[in-house]
Amino acid sequence: VAISAAVIRVWYKILLTTIVLHWAACAWFGLAVWEGLDQSWAAHTASKMASDTLFAYIRSFYWAVTTMTTVGYGDIVALTVRETVFVIVVLVVCLYFYVDLVANVTNLISNGDLSSTRKMALESAIRRMLETRRVPADLVLGAEQFFESSSLIAKIGVQESALVSTLPKSIQQEIANYLHLKGLVTQ
């Protein structure tokens, strides 16, 4: 199974972003411990955070995600100067990773649509050209089947020869033979 480089890049960006979020969450909780749970952003749940590490991590990770995505619900806020400075640094760093991830996903989607549009335009152009030239239906069907079964994304040419050149050699030869014989008969 072939996976495009763009898909791999998006998964890499998701992994990298998750790692950055993890680091930010751990540092955010570490800062609360350093400041004293009762004196920090964790003050309203200090007793639960001190006894439940998973709860503390989930709350910290939640803060990191809402900060990275710039949603910031306001339920977890910086209370000290150190926390405020840390939030500013995290916003700047995480925003870069978030924008990079969104840009890569957008690129993947737009290029996928572009490739699909080009392929459909090529198929349509070949079909019109063959029908205009009154190529037998079985040859038109052969060309259509080639595009349906192939993952080939060909260049769209404006000349008939460029369109036909994207087909397999056997179909090209049959079309050329038909057009040549047709030309001899109509002359």
Side-chain angles (χ1 to χ4, degrees), residues 3-152:
I3 300 174
S4 76
V7 171
I8 292 170
R9 188 172 43 253
V10 166
W11 280 109
Y12 170 75
K13 299 294 181 177
I14 290 170
L15 176 65
L16 190 61
T17 302
T18 304
I19 290 169
V20 169
L21 285 169
H22 168 74
W23 288 344
C26 290
W28 182 241
F29 182 69
L31 187 57
V33 171
W34 184 34
E35 297 267 321
L37 290 176
D38 293 334
Q39 308 298 316
S40 69
W41 64 268
H44 65 286
T45 57
S47 62
K48 181 145 175 111
M49 288 219 183
S51 64
D52 189 349
T53 309
L54 181 61
F55 175 77
Y57 179 76
I58 290 171
R59 293 292 290 168
S60 299
F61 195 81
Y62 162 80
W63 168 84
V65 170
T66 58
T67 300
M68 174 184 268
T69 59
T70 68
V71 172
Y73 292 116
D75 54 341
I76 300 176
V77 296
L79 297 179
T80 67
V81 173
R82 284 187 195 117
E83 289 174 352
T84 303
V85 170
F86 180 76
V87 169
I88 291 168
V89 170
V90 167
L91 270 170
V92 170
V93 171
C94 286
L95 192 57
Y96 166 78
F97 286 96
Y98 183 64
V99 168
D100 188 41
L101 174 62
V102 170
N104 275 277
V105 170
T106 302
N107 186 36
L108 175 67
I109 292 168
S110 66
N111 284 345
D113 288 347
L114 183 60
S115 296
S116 176
T117 302
R118 283 182 179 162
K119 185 177 178 196
M120 287 188 309
L122 179 61
E123 291 171 6
S124 177
I126 287 178
R127 190 178 313 108
R128 281 193 314 273
M129 185 269 301
L130 295 176
E131 288 171 355
T132 301
R133 295 290 196 107
R134 300 181 198 273
V135 171
D138 61 326
L139 289 179
V140 174
L141 181 63
E144 289 173 349
Q145 287 173 344
F146 167 75
F147 282 110
E148 289 173 10
S149 66
S150 170
S151 62
L152 170 70

